[in-house]
Amino acid sequence: MRVLGIETSCDETGVAVYDSRHGLLGHTVYSQIPLHSGFGGVVPELASRDHVRKLAPMVDALLTEVQSTARDIDAVAYTAGPGLAGALLVGAAFARSLAWAWDVPALGIHHMEGHLLAPMLEDPAPTFPFVALLVSGGHTQLVQVADVGAYELLGESVDDAAGEAFDKTAKLLGLGYPGGPALAALSRHGDPARFRFPRPMTGRPGLDFSFSGLKTFALTTLQQQSEQTPPSQREKLHADIARAFEDAVVDTLAIKCRRAIEQTGSRALVMSGGVSANQALRARVDGLMQELGGRAYYPRAELCTDNGAMIAYAGWQRLRAGQHDDLRFDIQPRWSLQELGSGG
Ligand SMILES: Nc1ncnc2c1ncn2[C@@H]1O[C@H](COP(=O)(O)OP(=O)(O)OP(=O)(O)O)[C@@H](O)[C@H]1O
Ligand SMILES: [Mg+2]
């Protein structure tokens, strides 16, 4: 069975073909970052228009690349939410039209379910049950996963997502948008002993997160230190702040992961979403799970951020679970993972 996956929830156009016997046959991602970078963030209307331009040629090229034709595709899966309403509508309308024309089922997929299942595209793949840490530009969540569609939210950010905090702090340091990877690169040159940032919400029980204070802490540190720092030392100051910020985020995430693992008795921690590409976080989580006698799983870097492969894979899992959407369709710009059932 072959599923075409289409992702358009934000500023990446992703398309992929997943084959239930042979795995991921191919995927391409077109990033709109250059389109939005001059604005310091995503401009929704520009995002929608660019998805319109890119989708058809990308699907066409991908089918050729994986030596498939429309006749080989058994279902079309697309991101139905959460995300930008206009961008979601473009993907939904396009996917639905293809499915209608090809006479195959169309499946609306939850974007975070896509992220959550993405590590299952790797070898070795995690098996259910597991605890998932979803760390992306819009979400920071710990989820207990019993099976496809059986998701219990253990904790989440009460304000900024971890990726959002990375991006905002990177902006303060003049690193452009999206700044997560740039901040992580700069932090490697930073002195871990110079500043210590707080580890928010770790001093009390619970699995929720709060990251907006860290960005403010970074701003205050930058303002205070900049006055006493000669221009030749500014780059060093920025690297030291980047290091203190990254250490605080990684430490905070690791503390809550340990709690979630201890609370649930799980032996597997699955990490996904853009921030899970962060090397310091991966190293920390690997060490933690080794210490706890379990294992950490995460996707290859290109499948951490938005992509069509995770949507194609989630689509196949949903098809297998018996999901059949009728011809009416709706997008859900706000949509909780817990509202998902096991299919049907
Ligand atoms: N190496 C890295 N270190 C830290 N953050 C990173 C790294 N690589 C990517 N990110 C961050 O990941 C985020 C993008 O991830 P992703 O594409 O999964 O998020 P999103 O799709 O915008 O949000 P959501 O999935 O919640 O809707 C950005 O905030 C980016 O800065
Ligand atoms: Mg995403």
Side-chain angles (χ1 to χ4, degrees), residues 111-112 115 136-139 163 166-167 178 180-181 184 273-275 277-278 304-306:
H111 179 80
M112 298 312 293
H115 276 305
S136 58
H139 295 79
F166 262 97
D167 293 339
V275 183
N278 185 280
C304 287
T305 42
D306 291 352

Side-chain angles (χ1 to χ4, degrees), residues 105-171:
L107 301 130
I109 299 299
H110 192 294
H111 179 80
M112 298 312 293
E113 180 173 58
H115 276 305
L116 195 151
L117 298 177
M120 298 180 86
L121 284 162
E122 305 299 353
D123 187 16
T127 51
F128 301 114
F130 53 75
V131 167
L133 172 68
L134 300 176
V135 264
S136 58
H139 295 79
T140 306
Q141 299 184 322
L142 273 164
V143 185
Q144 185 162 20
V145 180
D147 205 340
V148 173
Y151 308 129
E152 187 194 336
L153 189 65
L154 301 172
E156 66 181 333
S157 178
V158 297
D159 44 51
D160 290 355
E164 194 179 350
F166 262 97
D167 293 339
K168 287 178 175 170
T169 304
K171 203 170 173 178

